Amino acid sequence: MEEQSDPLMKIETGDYGYVLEDVPHLTDYLSNLIMYPNPMRFNPAYSVVKQYFVDCDDTVPERVVVHKNDPRGVHFRRAGPRQNVYFLPDEVHACIVTCGGLCPGLNTVIREIVCALYHMYGVTRVLGIDGGYRGFYSKNTITLTPKFVNDIHKRGGTILGSSRGGHDKSKIVDSIQDRGINQVYIIGGDGTQKGAAVIFEEIKKRGIKAVVAGIPKTIDNDIA
């Protein structure tokens, strides 16, 4: 069977064999969005300098070790805080979901997302979706606060529960809309991230101002 390229992938090429495999962005379907200074600039708890923020042209190579005659190869967009953001803290309603099999560190990831949103960005509305993608279909959610997640990194598994499958994009995006969620943090492996891409496409189709952030959770190193 002929291999087909991912329609969601944005490919950018440069000199000396440079290839950037980029991911879709909110601005790809919503133009003229207002940008705001990153709240971290004004947070006295952080000594933020300009060099702390990730430049829009920063990328990370897929292969760290190369020979002198090798092409520059495949790169990915570097994650990290930008100087400007597209949401004011007061308007953010975030959710976190864990999907697929269990692996060490899931609760730590949940804890760090919640604490970063609260303490670094001033976001106070964060929901945990109970039971993986299927949890979007139900009313079961957990309100996540720094106090609630304070000690969860000492436990195994995930406090949010997990499940496999449940990729009904319409039901999931209906739930996102009904709950007024505009930031979705999805923790999972390759299948979960493929589901996240499908969810993003449905959000894009509906023209919703909501972002989907995929956080890799895998022991197979197959996220790329």
Side-chain angles (χ1 to χ4, degrees):
M1 181 181 292
E2 183 180 353
E3 184 175 342
Q4 297 181 348
S5 60
D6 187 343
L8 295 176
M9 190 73 69
K10 297 192 299 183
I11 304 296
E12 181 181 323
T13 58
D15 296 334
Y16 310 110
Y18 173 92
V19 178
L20 170 62
E21 292 189 356
D22 207 354
V23 293
H25 192 267
L26 187 66
T27 54
D28 291 342
Y29 67 96
L30 293 177
S31 58
N32 302 320
L33 285 176
I34 299 174
M35 290 193 297
Y36 308 98
N38 193 315
M40 291 176 62
R41 294 188 190 182
F42 315 109
N43 192 325
Y46 299 92
S47 300
V48 176
V49 295
K50 184 177 179 181
Q51 291 79 5
Y52 178 82
F53 295 108
V54 174
D55 189 89
C56 61
D57 291 327
D58 285 357
T59 60
V60 178
E62 181 179 29
R63 294 176 56 201
V64 177
V65 179
V66 296
H67 299 290
K68 64 179 181 180
N69 296 323
D70 286 349
R72 292 183 65 188
V74 174
H75 289 64
F76 304 110
R77 183 71 65 186
R78 184 186 174 198
R82 267 58 173 176
Q83 292 193 55
N84 296 296
V85 296
Y86 293 94
F87 295 89
L88 290 171
D90 290 344
E91 69 181 34
V92 173
H93 189 191
C95 77
I96 304 172
V97 61
T98 51
C99 305
L102 300 179
C103 73
L106 287 174
N107 283 333
T108 300
V109 176
I110 295 168
R111 180 178 184 269
E112 294 308 309
I113 295 172
V114 173
C115 290
L117 286 171
Y118 267 77
H119 299 312
M120 299 169 75
Y121 289 91
V123 173
T124 58
R125 293 189 296 166
V126 186
L127 277 182
I129 303 298
D130 188 7
Y133 279 136
R134 290 192 180 92
F136 280 102
Y137 310 165
S138 69
K139 300 293 184 182
N140 298 329
T141 60
I142 302 170
T143 300
L144 300 176
T145 64
K147 182 178 180 180
F148 183 85
V149 302
N150 184 55
D151 294 322
I152 65 172
H153 60 297
K154 300 175 183 178
R155 310 181 209 168
T158 163
I159 61 163
L160 299 179
S162 185
S163 64
R164 295 186 182 277
H167 296 181
D168 189 321
K169 63 180 181 182
S170 294
K171 289 183 179 180
I172 291 172
V173 178
D174 285 345
S175 176
I176 290 170
Q177 278 190 288
D178 292 344
R179 289 181 166 127
I181 292 168
N182 51 22
Q183 291 189 7
V184 185
Y185 295 90
I186 299 176
I187 307 169
D190 61 322
T192 300
Q193 302 306 328
K194 288 174 184 174
V198 171
I199 292 168
F200 168 81
E201 279 299 293
E202 181 66 17
I203 287 174
K204 177 180 176 181
K205 180 181 176 182
R206 300 188 191 187
I208 305 168
K209 186 186 176 184
V211 295
V212 178
I215 301 172
K217 177 258 338 171
T218 179
I219 60 171
D220 304 317
N221 199 27
D222 55 3
I223 294 297

